[in-house]
Each structure stands twice: as C-alpha cells, then as structure tokens.
Amino acid sequence: MWGFSCPEKKIYLTFDDGPLPEVTEWVLDFLDKEKLQATFFCLGKHVVAHPSIFERIKSYGHATGNHTFAHEHGLKVSKDTYLNSIEKANEHIQSTLFRPPYGRMPRSYDRHLNNYSIVMWTWLSYDFDPSVSVEKIMKSARDIRNGDILVFHDNEKSFERLKILLPQVVSMLKEKGFSFETIPSL
Ligand SMILES: [Zn+2]
C-alpha cells in the first residue's frame, strides 16, 4: 500500500532502519513527550543487537514492521537470499507488516509475501539526504494530507537532520489538527 484513503485527519509516522542506541532512543523520547504513536520498520540484525530498545518500542504502544534482516536490496540479491532475510527477520520481529528497503523489489515477490501487508509511503522526509534543504522539505510537508504515510529514518546517517526535521513536521501537523496512527496489522 502507498497510503490510506480516509476522510479523517489521520497520518501515519513511520521510522526505518532501527532499532539503534541513541537514535531510536531519541525518537522514542520525542514521541513519548508528544504523546504520539508510530510504526517502526526494523532490521532483524539490529533487533538481535539491541533487544531492549526493540522491547521499549513495543511497550510504548508503537507498531513494528519487518524491513529485512540486513537491509538487502531486492533487485540486487537473489530471490532466495531476499525471502530468507525477511523470514529470518520475522523470527525476531513477528509482524505482518513489511517494507522493502529502498522501496524496491521485484513485483513477482508479492505472491510469496501473502502473509504480509507491504507498506510503502506517500511522503519521504529526505532526512538521509543532506543535498535536500530543510526549507524544501518543510515546504513539501505543507502538502501532507489525510491518510499519508510519512517516512523518517532512525539510523545514524539521518540523525542530525532527523532531530531538526521531526519536531518541525510534527508541530506543523499538530497545528493542522492531524492525529497520528499506527499502521494496522493484517
Ligand atoms: Zn531502510
């Protein structure tokens, strides 16, 4: 899915690539302070390395999703490698939500992933890309509408920009009266 069609002012915050110390912990503290729920697409290898942060995500009422074990690119590894990575991650994450890294995988894999809801996005924060200015991102954030799925990254590469962008985007959306929902499981 690339978003939801809904009449209410609801949006879906999502975070990819964690859980990691410091970055994910900062996000959790921020969401807690703002009293918001979000969905975290986790890498299996990071869940294995940082189980207590993964438990904290769940205990705060956020949703979790599978983002493969080690961030494999669906067009660059074999089908077996890719599907095994998802299964291996699922042993630790146990979610029916899946988001392909880079948003790319062969369409034919869909039928192997019937047990998952494949969750893409409608608004990309570009928190990972310093060549896109914060001003430009905030301008595009004005167009966020009902049912949009927003992507941020709780990884080290994005952390400095995430700390600037996330509070600004959330504050704008709260002022506009949006509520923040978790992506429903299958
Ligand atoms: Zn990712």
Side-chain angles (χ1 to χ4, degrees), residues 55-72:
E55 288 307 316
R56 198 179 150 205
I57 293 172
K58 292 194 291 181
S59 73
Y60 279 35
H62 303 298
T64 54
N66 186 327
H67 195 46
T68 72
F69 194 81
H71 216 260
E72 286 86 354

Side-chain angles (χ1 to χ4, degrees), residues 16-17 41 43 67 71 99-103 153 155:
D16 286 5
D17 302 345
F41 287 91
L43 293 179
H67 195 46
H71 216 260
R99 173 174 285 159
Y102 313 99
H153 294 84
N155 61 28

